[in-house]
Amino acid sequence: MVKGYLVTGTDTGVGKTVITAGLTGVWRRHGVPAVAIKPVQSGAVLHSGDLIPEDVAFYRLAAGLNEPLDELNLYRFAPAVSPHLAATLSGEKVLPARLVHFCREALRRHRLTLVEGAGGLGVPLSGPQFTVADLCRELALSLLVVARPGLGSINHTVLTVSYARSYGLEVTGIIINGLRPEAAGPTEKDNPGVIETMTGVPVLGIVPYLPGVSVEEGRARGLVDAVERAVDWRALLEA
Ligand SMILES: Nc1ncnc2c1ncn2[C@@H]1O[C@H](COP(=O)(O)OP(=O)(O)O)[C@@H](O)[C@H]1O
Ligand SMILES: [Mg+2]
């Protein structure tokens, strides 16, 4: 039985949070008590004196999670930079052992847990010696990779999968996110097949651009329906 995945991206801003929230919402709709956690959040926003981890706020909104913020996020920093630097700028330190313990507790408590990384696989969490890839390896999780639909995405996705394998990590699937139907040209049509051939990893879904969705503005209209339609979420339960 799959206990969880680490959700990474080919880059920052590719839609990890949107896909994580959408998948969690779909599973919960189908009776699987899934949760999503964001162990380290940089670029957290200040709301009446409290730092709010934006990604977690979005999971709660989109997937209907009721867990308190502190159960879904451990470290949060205001500077919108790589976690290791955000911690330093905030006069704090990310401790790998604490981070791993936090994630393991979530994985132990819940039937299915998605762990959203930060940026991509090579991003330092505590520093160069402990990256998102290291966290994934410590947790013994398989990866879901979120990728962009357009030009540049073959290269970024192939590099991400290759880097994952060089770390001994398994990649279960790739999800292409943010396809604008009006912008779908030869590249967008060709990419999924080429990515599958070059990586040997299945593309488990192509999620369209959704005008009703914004992480920053706290809007999730149509997200769970769209992910339910576009992503092979059942395969991820059985993988
Ligand atoms: N399918 C989508 N439709 C509409 N907006 C999207 C979609 N995917 C991502 N976005 C927007 O793109 C931005 C980056 O997405 P996000 O999920 O936060 O990326 P990441 O977690 O990888 O940094 C956010 O503003 C989000 O609302
Ligand atoms: Mg995110």
Side-chain angles (χ1 to χ4, degrees), residues 155-173:
N155 178 54
H156 287 149
T157 310
V158 168
L159 290 177
T160 295
V161 172
S162 165
Y163 188 73
R165 288 185 176 145
S166 78
Y167 253 77
L169 303 175
E170 191 184 310
V171 184
T172 299

Side-chain angles (χ1 to χ4, degrees), residues 64-214:
L65 300 183
N66 300 313
E67 284 74 8
L69 285 183
D70 287 343
E71 275 183 35
L72 305 177
N73 163 258
L74 176 60
Y75 291 108
R76 59 197 79 145
F77 307 115
V81 297
S82 176
H84 74 289
L85 180 59
T88 305
L89 294 173
S90 310
E92 295 181 54
K93 263 196 166 67
V94 171
L95 303 177
R98 260 195 87 194
L99 198 53
V100 169
H101 177 76
F102 175 83
C103 295
R104 283 195 184 137
E105 276 301 296
L107 284 155
R108 188 179 62 75
R109 275 202 304 269
H110 300 285
R111 158 69 185 87
L112 185 60
T113 304
L114 288 181
V115 181
E116 182 180 342
L121 272 187
V123 165
L125 293 174
S126 67
Q129 74 290 351
F130 196 82
T131 63
V132 173
D134 289 300
L135 177 64
C136 189
R137 189 158 60 186
E138 287 294 318
L139 298 175
L141 288 175
S142 219
L143 285 161
L144 294 181
V145 175
V146 181
R148 292 196 176 96
L151 190 64
S153 197
I154 294 175
N155 178 54
H156 287 149
T157 310
V158 168
L159 290 177
T160 295
V161 172
S162 165
Y163 188 73
R165 288 185 176 145
S166 78
Y167 253 77
L169 303 175
E170 191 184 310
V171 184
T172 299
I174 294 161
I175 296 172
I176 294 175
N177 176 55
L179 182 67
R180 293 173 188 263
E182 71 283 4
T187 296
E188 287 73 12
K189 293 196 176 75
D190 184 61
N191 271 1
V194 174
I195 287 171
E196 284 191 337
T197 304
M198 291 181 74
T199 60
V201 177
V203 171
L204 294 177
I206 302 174
V207 176
Y209 177 81
L210 302 162
V213 168
S214 167

Side-chain angles (χ1 to χ4, degrees), residues 23-65:
L23 270 175
T24 304
V26 173
W27 284 324
R28 292 172 72 89
R29 175 181 281 183
H30 289 268
V32 181
V35 297
I37 65 172
K38 174 81 177 183
V40 189
Q41 171 96 63
S42 48
V45 280
L46 205 55
H47 272 297
S48 38
D50 291 325
L51 266 188
I52 303 296
E54 195 171 54
D55 291 7
V56 169
F58 188 74
Y59 311 150
R60 288 169 40 136
L61 169 80
L65 300 183

